[in-house]
């Protein structure tokens, strides 16, 4: 299969936010499909992209210098699971790990809010995927402020500036990771309220999807406007050159998958990955091994 490198390498750039000061969520259309009229050509391009990512991941693993952290955040039913499944379908499981962050346990609540994410970071040569992350602290905890009381933070430290302080903490944390070889790319799958409703109804109408539906999702939907405001401020304050956000249109899953794949390919391509070269001493050892095998 011939891969259109130029098209897939540059596709995600229109959705990248590396400086959030002027970012506004209203400037991004959840139904956008770029220059694609349908999913027909996009599927072929994605298949080529998945194959390309597989080759790049092999070099990432062999080189054993960089690690890649992919963070996915979204409203319910935006398609995080399907995006991870489709885009990473060609990646060797030995070089990739997915961590899904649910409500924190009692042990996790006894640590700082970055602790549980920190222990799940990918090691060198690997790709780590966070299905939700420490950004929940700026989203669900901000919308439902009563959750903050469960974190056992000393009362004098919970001031009106706590959200600004957490912006600062996360920026410093991501800068630290970047300086130590962890490349971070963050994806907000931007789904419209109308499309979310359609997907919720599909979960109710189709028996095979009933298990996906949760009454809790409807409760969160009632806070839609609060979440949109929280996402906007989160991106405004945490988008950086080292750890940019991609505001990915999510009303059409086929386009969502393509944009995410494009961002990952462009990122891996920027690392100048290559298989390690064998030095003279190693070559001599290989020659000795061949002689032993052939004798």
């Amino acid at each position: 299969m011939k891969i259109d490198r130029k098209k897939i390498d540059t596709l995600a750039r229109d959705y990248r936010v590396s400086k959030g000061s002027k970012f506004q969520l209203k400037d991004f259309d959840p139904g956008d499909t770029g220059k694609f009229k349908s999913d027909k050509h996009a599927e072929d391009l994605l298949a080529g992209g998945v194959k390309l990512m597989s080759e790049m991941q092999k070099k990432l693993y062999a080189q054993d210098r960089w690690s890649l952290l992919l963070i996915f955040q979204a409203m319910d039913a935006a398609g995080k699971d399907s995006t991870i499944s489709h885009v990473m379908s060609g990646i060797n499981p030995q070089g990739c790990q997915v961590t899904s962050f649910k409500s924190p346990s009692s042990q996790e609540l006894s640590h700082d809010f970055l602790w549980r994410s920190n222990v799940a970071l990918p090691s060198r040569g690997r790709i780590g995927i966070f299905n939700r992350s420490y950004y929940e602290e700026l989203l669900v905890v901000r919308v439902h402020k009563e959750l903050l009381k469960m974190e056992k933070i000393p009362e004098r430290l919970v001031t009106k500036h706590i959200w600004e302080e957490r912006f600062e903490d996360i920026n410093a944390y991501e800068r630290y990771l970047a300086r130590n070889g962890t490349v971070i790319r963050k994806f907000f799958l931007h789904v419209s309220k109308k499309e979310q409703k359609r997907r919720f109804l599909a979960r109710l109408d189709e028996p095979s999807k009933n298990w996906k539906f949760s009454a809790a999702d409807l409760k969160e939907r009632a806070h839609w406007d609060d979440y949109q405001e929280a996402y906007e401020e989160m991106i405004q304050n945490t988008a950086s050159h080292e750890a940019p956000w991609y505001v990915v249109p999510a009303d059409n899953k086929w386009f969502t998958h393509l944009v995410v794949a494009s961002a990952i390919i462009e990122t891996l391509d920027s690392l100048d990955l290559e298989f390690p070269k064998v030095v003279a001493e190693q070559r001599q050892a290989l020659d000795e091994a061949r002689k032993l095998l052939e004798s």
Side-chain angles (χ1 to χ4, degrees):
M1 178 185 295
K2 187 177 181 180
I3 302 171
D4 192 338
R5 282 295 303 270
K6 184 177 180 181
K7 183 169 287 188
I8 199 165
D9 276 4
T10 59
L11 179 65
R13 293 178 187 176
D14 290 340
Y15 309 99
R16 175 175 170 142
V17 182
S18 55
K19 188 175 182 181
S21 58
K22 296 182 180 179
F23 171 76
Q24 289 186 300
L25 200 54
K26 67 179 180 63
D27 294 334
F28 290 78
D29 178 12
D32 183 20
T33 58
K35 297 180 180 179
F36 294 87
K37 302 298 182 183
S38 69
D39 61 351
K40 186 175 182 180
H41 178 56
E43 288 179 355
D44 291 338
L45 197 58
L46 178 62
V50 168
K51 182 178 180 181
L52 183 58
M53 269 191 289
S54 177
E55 295 302 315
M56 289 179 162
Q57 184 261 336
K58 291 176 185 177
K59 294 179 181 179
L60 177 76
Y61 187 82
Q63 195 179 64
D64 197 26
R65 288 290 183 270
W66 298 95
S67 59
L68 176 61
L69 175 61
L70 308 175
I71 295 176
F72 290 86
Q73 294 287 160
M75 296 292 288
D76 295 314
K80 295 190 307 302
D81 292 343
S82 67
T83 298
I84 293 169
S85 175
H86 280 78
V87 174
M88 309 306 290
S89 60
I91 299 298
N92 187 332
Q94 289 184 318
C96 182
Q97 63 198 55
V98 180
T99 306
S100 296
F101 291 97
K102 307 295 185 181
S103 298
S105 66
S106 58
Q107 180 189 26
E108 290 166 342
L109 288 170
S110 294
H111 290 270
D112 63 273
F113 77 92
L114 286 169
W115 180 79
R116 67 174 182 163
S117 298
N118 200 50
V119 297
L121 289 172
S123 57
R124 298 193 190 281
R126 295 174 63 87
I127 298 174
I129 299 171
F130 284 1
N131 187 340
R132 300 193 190 279
S133 67
Y134 44 83
Y135 279 102
E136 293 293 286
E137 293 293 324
L138 302 176
L139 298 167
V140 65
V141 176
R142 191 171 185 181
V143 172
H144 299 284
K145 295 181 176 58
E146 65 274 12
L147 295 176
L148 195 58
K149 296 179 181 179
M150 299 173 63
E151 297 185 6
K152 305 177 183 179
I153 302 170
E155 290 185 8
R156 72 171 72 173
L157 300 180
V158 184
T159 70
K160 64 180 181 180
H161 302 296
I162 189 166
W163 308 117
E164 288 80 3
E165 290 167 354
R166 290 198 166 179
F167 290 145
E168 292 176 4
D169 293 338
I170 286 174
N171 286 332
Y173 178 65
E174 292 180 342
R175 189 161 53 246
Y176 162 78
L177 292 177
R179 287 173 174 171
N180 283 274
T182 296
V183 181
I184 304 169
R185 295 294 182 264
K186 303 174 295 194
F187 301 93
F188 167 48
L189 306 191
H190 185 25
V191 69
S192 67
K193 193 174 185 180
K194 180 180 179 181
E195 177 62 16
Q196 187 197 56
K197 177 182 177 179
R198 189 194 68 78
R199 293 179 186 180
F200 279 166
L201 288 173
R203 291 179 179 182
L204 293 171
D205 294 339
E206 299 177 36
S208 63
K209 293 184 178 181
N210 286 170
W211 66 274
K212 289 185 176 183
F213 185 80
S214 170
D217 294 342
L218 290 183
K219 292 181 180 178
E220 292 303 284
R221 181 176 166 82
H223 298 280
W224 181 273
D225 291 341
D226 294 330
Y227 273 109
Q228 298 304 295
E229 182 179 351
Y231 271 111
E232 184 170 89
E233 290 194 23
M234 176 191 74
I235 294 171
Q236 287 173 345
N237 288 278
T238 61
S240 66
H241 176 72
E242 298 88 358
W245 279 99
Y246 289 85
V247 183
V248 185
D251 278 8
N252 297 281
K253 289 186 178 182
W254 57 268
F255 190 68
T256 305
H257 302 164
L258 196 57
V259 173
V260 171
S262 171
I264 297 172
I265 289 170
E266 184 176 25
T267 300
L268 290 173
D269 203 31
S270 71
L271 302 181
D272 298 322
L273 301 172
E274 58 182 18
F275 290 111
K277 291 182 173 61
V278 177
V279 298
E281 290 181 1
Q282 293 172 314
R283 175 59 62 190
Q284 183 177 356
L286 292 175
D287 290 340
E288 291 296 327
R290 175 179 292 278
K291 291 177 182 178
L292 287 172
L293 286 169
E294 292 178 344
S295 64

